[in-house]
Amino acid sequence: MPSTAPTAHALADVTASDSTLRRFLHGLPGVDAVGLEARAASLGTRSIKTTAKAYAIDLAISMVDLTTLEGADTPGKVRALGAKAVHPDPTDRTTPTTAAVCVYPDMVAVAKEAVAGSGVKVASVATAFPAGRAALDVKLADVHEAVAAGADEIDMVIDRGAFLAGKYLKVYDEIVAVKQACGDTARLKVIFETGELSTYDNIRRASWLGMLAGTDFIKTSTGKVAVNATPANTLLMLEAVRDFRAQTGVQVGVKPAGGIRTSKDAIKFLVLVNETAGEDWLDNHWFRFGASSLLNDLLMQRQKLATGRYSGPDYVTVD
Amino acid sequence: MASAFEYAPAPESRSVVDIAPSYGLFIDGEFAEAADGKVFKTVSPSTEEVLSEVAQAGEADVDRAVKAARKAFEKWSALPGSERAKYLFRIARIIQERSRELAVLETLDNGKPIKETRDADLPLVAAHFFYYAGWADKLDHAGFGANPRPLGVAGQVIPWNFPLLMLAWKIAPALATGNTVVLKPAETTPLSALFFADICRQAGLPKGVVNILPGYGDAGAALVAHPDVNKVAFTGSTAVGKEIARTVAGTRKKLTLELGGKGANIVFDDAPIDQAVEGIVTGIFFNQGQVCCAGSRLLVQESIQDELLDALKRRLSTLRLGDPLDKNTDIGAINSAEQLARITALAEQGEAEGAERWSPACELPESGYWFAPTLFTNVTQAHTIARDEIFGPVLSVLSFRTPDEAVAKANNTQYGLSAGIWTEKGSRILAVASKLRAGVIWSNTFNKFDPTSPFGGYKESGFGREGGRHGLEAYLDV
């Protein structure tokens, strides 16, 4: 990587063919797993208290993509989720809204209506979520349905099989096609399913691949596999967006998803953002939490800071 | 740089440690005043606050302590190894139990961040006692022949950069092998050694087995020269080490010296860059660079020099300097006014000789001894700051083009304590490591310590090894 900052244009020729793309991705600096995890762990020991904690909790709430991705989802469930996104804590109207609600494409219209006028975005997992194992036509149809129904954001899974087989250009082309299908209105988040990519080197390559293809966000995982977001893989992706912006001037967001359940964990992720990518990413336009149970813990911690007392799960809403 | 995410102060409580207004010498299991009644003050480097008044050992006190150790040696060395192990395990457990108290104490007296005393020093201190406790009844199987004998009374002089850890490195193997000890901690950091004396009593260690003599260089010199000391172990500056070598020459005393260093941290163009940056930071800014094995010379391959320096500067801008008791502090205070003066002078010399100086924007506290993390670029082998040990948060950056040049430059120093190699290529790690003249070589990491791993130097970095099975040899008649 050159240290001077060329434009995105300068990186355009790396996608000329499968071999140029492979050469570029394999030429990225390696990742030492032990060192990466040690750094993530050491940032996890930052002690965040009082005013900093209050700031972090509100910021984290505003970054939550409140998610329901179940086969059993009904309009009623989605409406309830939308109401919660708009007023996370009915007892305290100063609580920020969440960033978005995240639903399957067929629920986008319902969700749109539920959050209308609140500023809360509707994100939809399209592209044959969560396996991504469908023909490109099918995936694009999925995206079109969601966008037509008004989705503000599309969460796309990559074809991990193609990536692991080294067919980087195929993955690249799919992301480009989906980005195009998103049109001017919807932002694209690309999900790598980092647990299935297995190595940190692969995660760094996937991050660059996604950014070269023009995604607006890179996202760790679907939440449907054993290993989802971890401090280490999120730290790695934050390094990738930081380096990508330094080289191209283009800023890309990051979204860890799955497995982040407590305020303490969420705050650790915010510390990673703050000390790796920097404060430019400390905003829900650039950083999100893909989570469902996290919000209630954030709300309980927020109530604790406000009242000095812990309440309990009955003092926050179930979805 | 002000951030939207300002961390509120998170200071560790001082109330977990009870520092007495004055302390005595620890001789024959009792705290005692110095024979000539002298005392000195120990201050907190981050605030210049006087923490306590400590008895200052003189020649007569050294003699008393050595006599006590000699007397205790007869019984202690005759104990079965498993009995000695019992005491050492007990000491290790008490250290663990009191680790929070000791971490706060060490931070107060030394100036290093609580993050380091809590997460690095104290766990390692306990680990050393546990490790050597395990050896105490297995000396016959350590590879030194059957029934190796202890040497007798060990006179040990330790520095101020890791007061309690250096104590553990010295005392644990000495006791495990059946020796008794007279230890002189550094004059700026005597407190944790005196707390350790209390731990010895708490553990019921027989009187005289461990004696602690706070004091200055004269007490150290008297200890080294004492005719009834059988073994001298010293960690500290090369200049003092040379003096000790001269004193001990021609006597029957055994000697190990662990002295200065000017470690090379070599970053190849295929290194994991982000982790290398972390390793460089750990290498030179851990304990404010007051580490003999610090990676104080960064040798970076020219092809990635600009990129690496950009990344390093960006990273240094996130270091948090300030109150060492704050859990979020990365860089604490320099240990003493003298040390600060030395670092300042060497950094000024670096500038005068034409190297380019850079520090991140950071405010230094008004009281106490502080030095901002500093980077020198355009440094060559001919610069003083590339040759002399600075013992502070000052990194000299040099470049190289080929692996051979890296090795030649790394070895072109009077020291030989540590080195680091950063590359994703395993064969290169092995090839380069085998050519480096340094006692410890880390690859894709830096400043990692473990009681099972021997530590020591080449050339003016001293001789003998501490830690591991090798560390036993220095305290046995083999």
Side-chain angles (χ1 to χ4, degrees):
Chain A
M1 295 197 302
S3 63
T4 47
T7 59
H9 175 74
L11 285 174
D13 56 349
V14 307
T15 57
S17 72
D18 226 345
S19 65
T20 53
L21 185 54
R22 170 192 310 280
R23 228 174 290 142
F24 174 79
L25 294 177
H26 285 257
L28 292 167
V31 184
D32 184 81
V34 175
L36 176 74
E37 287 168 11
R39 173 66 176 152
S42 88
L43 285 176
T45 65
R46 289 285 193 223
S47 184
I48 306 300
K49 293 184 184 307
T50 60
T51 51
K53 189 173 179 184
Y55 168 83
I57 285 173
D58 275 8
L59 185 61
I61 291 171
S62 79
M63 288 171 164
V64 167
D65 280 1
L66 197 57
T67 302
T68 183
L69 296 170
E70 294 165 19
D73 283 346
T74 60
K77 160 92 178 172
V78 170
R79 274 194 289 271
L81 198 74
K84 177 148 186 174
V86 177
H87 293 300
D89 186 348
T91 68
D92 184 350
R93 298 278 160 151
T94 66
T95 312
T97 62
T98 70
V101 287
C102 182
V103 295
Y104 278 117
D106 63 329
M107 287 293 166
V108 167
V110 180
K112 251 335 235 193
E113 206 186 313
V115 300
S118 67
V120 175
K121 309 272 192 236
V122 173
S124 179
V125 290
T127 69
F129 184 91
R133 304 218 73 92
L136 181 58
D137 295 351
V138 177
K139 293 179 183 175
L140 291 176
D142 214 10
V143 175
H144 286 306
E145 185 198 343
V147 173
D152 304 295
E153 297 168 359
I154 297 296
D155 288 29
M156 164 201 186
V157 286
I158 65 161
D159 181 344
R160 283 87 78 187
F163 185 93
L164 291 170
K167 294 177 183 163
Y168 299 130
L169 202 58
K170 177 170 190 278
V171 180
Y172 173 85
D173 287 339
E174 282 201 3
I175 298 172
V176 171
V178 172
K179 171 71 184 162
Q180 206 172 3
C182 288
D184 298 332
T185 49
R187 289 175 90 207
L188 176 63
K189 308 192 194 101
V190 171
I191 306 171
F192 301 129
E193 200 67 295
T194 49
E196 290 185 355
L197 296 188
S198 165
T199 69
Y200 290 124
D201 286 327
N202 272 344
I203 296 171
R204 175 168 283 173
R205 287 173 195 142
S207 300
W208 278 81
L209 180 63
M211 293 187 291
L212 288 171
T215 185
D216 300 296
F217 257 91
I218 53 177
K219 175 174 168 185
T220 57
S221 39
T222 60
K224 302 282 186 193
V225 296
V227 180
N228 293 289
T230 64
N233 63 28
T234 306
L235 170 59
L236 178 56
M237 286 163 67
L238 287 163
E239 289 169 353
V241 295
R242 175 198 70 196
D243 293 345
F244 188 77
R245 190 180 73 170
Q247 271 204 58
T248 65
V250 176
Q251 186 162 344
V252 174
V254 176
K255 178 177 171 185
I260 306 164
R261 294 195 177 83
T262 64
S263 304
K264 206 170 179 178
D265 284 344
I267 291 171
K268 286 178 184 178
F269 279 86
L270 292 180
V271 170
L272 293 177
V273 177
N274 191 36
E275 300 206 26
T276 307
E279 63 176 310
D280 289 353
W281 272 265
L282 282 174
D283 180 300
N284 70 8
H285 198 69
W286 301 114
F287 194 80
R288 294 282 177 84
F289 290 108
S292 41
S293 57
L294 169 64
L295 181 59
N296 273 357
D297 192 65
L298 288 166
L299 295 175
M300 284 194 277
Q301 288 294 331
R302 195 174 189 277
Q303 291 174 352
K304 156 76 166 53
L305 283 180
T307 64
R309 285 172 199 84
Y310 278 109
S311 48
D314 286 343
Y315 291 82
V316 290
T317 57
V318 296
D319 291 332
Chain B
M1 192 170 58
S3 160
F5 194 2
E6 283 290 347
Y7 305 161
E12 176 66 85
S13 169
R14 276 184 70 150
S15 64
V16 297
V17 57
D18 190 11
I19 302 175
S22 69
Y23 287 94
L25 312 168
F26 186 67
I27 299 174
D28 205 19
E30 304 294 335
F31 285 101
E33 286 181 16
D36 56 9
K38 275 193 185 168
V39 293
F40 66 101
K41 290 177 168 55
T42 186
V43 303
S44 181
S46 61
T47 58
E48 298 175 59
E49 165 205 2
V50 174
L51 294 171
S52 188
E53 207 169 66
V54 178
Q56 182 183 336
E59 214 168 316
D61 306 303
V62 168
D63 191 52
R64 265 199 301 157
V66 172
K67 283 203 170 80
R70 172 62 59 199
K71 199 168 136 237
F73 175 68
E74 283 174 35
K75 280 188 183 170
W76 180 251
S77 61
L79 285 181
S82 56
E83 278 298 301
R84 291 198 304 271
K86 210 171 71 183
Y87 289 108
L88 286 169
F89 277 123
R90 207 180 282 162
I91 289 171
R93 287 194 304 270
I94 296 171
I95 287 169
Q96 284 187 323
E97 283 159 14
R98 296 178 63 174
S99 66
R100 189 161 168 227
E101 170 194 3
L102 293 167
V104 173
L105 175 75
E106 196 83 316
T107 287
L108 282 169
D109 203 21
N110 170 281
K112 67 168 75 182
I114 185 79
K115 182 172 103 169
E116 291 180 8
T117 53
R118 180 193 64 190
D119 298 344
D121 295 46
L122 263 299
L124 278 168
V125 169
H128 270 84
F129 278 98
F130 277 120
Y131 175 75
Y132 279 110
W135 269 118
D137 61 350
K138 301 173 193 71
L139 299 176
D140 291 353
H141 311 288
F144 306 120
N147 197 21
R149 310 298 304 161
L151 298 170
V153 175
Q156 308 177 319
V157 179
I158 58 168
W160 45 258
N161 57 343
F162 293 90
L164 201 52
L165 183 60
M166 291 300 103
L167 174 148
W169 282 26
K170 297 281 183 289
I171 290 185
L175 297 194
T177 47
N179 299 273
T180 54
V181 163
V182 179
L183 177 129
K184 188 199 88 70
E187 65 267 24
T188 59
T189 55
L191 291 183
S192 53
L194 294 165
F195 273 58
F196 179 79
D198 182 53
I199 288 171
C200 290
R201 295 215 293 198
Q202 200 182 337
L205 192 72
K207 289 181 175 190
V209 173
V210 168
N211 304 275
I212 309 277
L213 299 181
Y216 283 74
D218 59 327
L223 178 59
V224 167
H226 196 288
D228 210 20
V229 163
N230 306 96
K231 148 82 188 173
V232 172
F234 173 74
T235 295
S237 73
T238 294
V240 176
K242 285 179 179 174
E243 242 176 80
I244 290 174
R246 276 191 285 271
T247 308
V248 171
T251 69
R252 292 171 65 92
K253 288 173 193 174
K254 267 189 119 179
L255 175 64
T256 46
L257 295 173
E258 204 269 272
L259 310 174
K262 192 73 186 174
N265 209 353
I266 307 169
V267 182
F268 288 100
D269 59 5
D270 63 346
I273 296 289
D274 291 300
Q275 286 76 48
V277 166
E278 286 309 312
I280 294 162
V281 169
T282 308
I284 185 61
F285 300 113
F286 182 62
N287 196 8
Q288 294 74 249
Q290 301 169 133
V291 184
C292 48
C293 55
S296 51
R297 282 185 299 153
L298 173 63
L299 295 177
V300 53
Q301 196 150 12
E302 244 177 62
S303 50
I304 56 158
Q305 187 178 10
D306 292 346
E307 182 195 342
L308 186 77
L309 283 176
D310 285 349
L312 187 58
K313 286 178 178 175
R314 184 180 60 222
R315 176 68 177 87
L316 294 197
S317 304
T318 68
L319 285 175
R320 304 169 66 84
L321 178 145
D323 178 7
L325 277 177
D326 191 320
K327 290 165 198 156
N328 292 326
T329 292
D330 299 316
I331 305 270
I334 301 300
N335 184 252
S336 64
E338 293 74 35
Q339 186 58 23
L340 178 60
R342 179 179 158 75
I343 298 169
T344 307
L346 277 163
E348 276 164 12
Q349 189 165 354
E351 263 180 302
E353 289 178 16
E356 201 171 303
R357 181 176 183 160
W358 183 89
S359 284
C362 77
E363 276 174 40
L364 301 182
E366 277 170 17
S367 60
Y369 317 125
W370 301 90
F371 198 88
T374 299
L375 199 71
F376 274 104
T377 51
N378 291 336
V379 179
T380 71
Q381 293 291 105
H383 283 86
T384 306
I385 52 168
R387 311 203 69 80
D388 286 11
E389 186 182 36
I390 299 174
F391 222 66
V394 181
L395 179 66
S396 299
V397 183
L398 298 94
S399 68
F400 68 89
R401 293 158 299 176
T402 63
D404 286 346
E405 188 183 347
V407 169
K409 282 184 167 167
N411 285 341
N412 179 218
T413 165
Q414 76 228 42
Y415 296 111
L417 195 52
S418 72
I421 303 167
W422 296 84
T423 169
E424 282 277 279
K425 204 170 157 120
S427 59
R428 179 175 287 155
I429 292 171
L430 298 174
V432 172
S434 67
K435 291 177 194 153
L436 291 174
R437 304 277 296 165
V440 186
I441 296 166
W442 286 288
S443 75
N444 291 343
T445 190
F446 212 93
N447 270 346
K448 284 274 184 295
F449 305 96
D450 190 283
T452 66
S453 172
F455 183 95
Y458 281 59
K459 298 191 269 188
E460 291 202 11
S461 291
F463 48 79
R465 292 293 178 265
E466 297 185 286
R469 188 183 62 82
H470 306 69
L472 295 166
E473 192 176 353
Y475 290 93
L476 289 171
D477 187 9
V478 295

